[in-house]
Amino acid sequence: MVRTSASTYKLYLAAYLFNQRQNGDFSWTAENIDGFDRMIVNSDNDFSENQINLYGADTLSAFMEKQGWYSSVFQTGQATQTTSYSLQLLLKDLAKGTGPFKNKSDRTKLLNLMGKQNYRTGIPVGAAEADAGTTVQDKVGFLDDVNNDAGIVTLPNGQRYILVIMTNGHKQSNLSGFPRIATITKNIQKIVYGADAGTKVIDYSK
């Protein structure tokens, strides 16, 4: 299902810029480093909007389609859109270092920034509540009643999984939906990776 991306679109833009760097068409100038870092950590919009205007929605869409991701993330004059499955595919490439994430230093840079981004009340909180010591590298998006979170979760034993949760409505505004995302995350992690996983049915609604 296609949903409003909000700032999770910045993962797609990061992938495009990494690909441009591999082709010699983007470099880590002091200005680009500052803008990119703020785009991921603070979810600032100035750098990302400048890059979208520079390259154009059609060019970005063609790149997304080539990767096998949702190809209409960027549309001129419209809010960015995506699907949870497309974000999952992107995060899989990022976790494995494939596709546009083959450059180890760029990949490490993005993952490190995602690991310290400012909005931690969704997947990171829920994953840690399910299993203390769990770490999360994620990118959030929030716009009006949309709260999204997409991340790579690493359990204390080293197991990893990808989780994308996209929500809207429910009388949400600003960041008010992220505690719900945390609860969903906690329940999912306990169901799949908890001590009782696959052995009995547990009522997580309580």
Side-chain angles (χ1 to χ4, degrees), residues 3-9 11-12 40-41 43 82-88 90-91 113-128 135-143 145-153 161-168 172 174-175 177-186 188:
R3 294 187 175 274
T4 298
S5 172
S7 284
T8 61
Y9 81 80
L11 292 175
Y12 294 108
I40 301 300
V41 175
S43 208
T82 189
T83 66
S84 58
Y85 180 59
S86 182
L87 284 168
Q88 175 191 331
L90 180 150
L91 289 171
L113 293 173
M114 290 168 65
K116 61 181 182 181
Q117 61 88 14
N118 291 336
Y119 303 99
R120 313 295 298 173
T121 56
I123 293 175
V125 164
T135 60
V136 178
Q137 296 152 311
D138 63 324
K139 182 72 194 78
V140 303
F142 50 93
L143 177 68
D145 71 340
V146 170
N147 285 172
N148 300 331
D149 205 348
I152 300 167
V153 183
Y161 70 92
I162 290 168
L163 183 61
V164 180
I165 301 175
M166 309 186 75
T167 71
N168 69 285
Q172 292 177 180
N174 198 17
L175 301 172
F178 281 91
R180 180 180 291 109
I181 291 175
T183 299
I184 294 169
T185 302
K186 180 180 179 180
I188 288 173

Side-chain angles (χ1 to χ4, degrees), residues 43-92:
S43 208
D44 289 350
N45 295 322
D46 57 330
F47 177 79
S48 58
E49 290 174 355
N50 288 339
Q51 298 303 311
I52 293 168
N53 290 335
L54 174 64
Y55 293 108
D58 290 345
T59 299
L60 292 168
S61 294
F63 172 76
M64 305 306 156
E65 185 174 12
K66 186 176 180 181
Q67 306 311 308
W69 304 335
Y70 179 65
S71 61
S72 299
V73 175
F74 302 94
Q75 299 182 57
T76 303
Q78 297 186 35
T80 53
Q81 297 183 319
T82 189
T83 66
S84 58
Y85 180 59
S86 182
L87 284 168
Q88 175 191 331
L89 292 176
L90 180 150
L91 289 171
K92 185 177 180 181

Side-chain angles (χ1 to χ4, degrees), residues 91-98 101 107 160:
L91 289 171
K92 185 177 180 181
D93 281 336
L94 177 58
K96 290 187 171 184
T98 55
F101 301 110
R107 174 175 171 267
R160 291 190 299 171

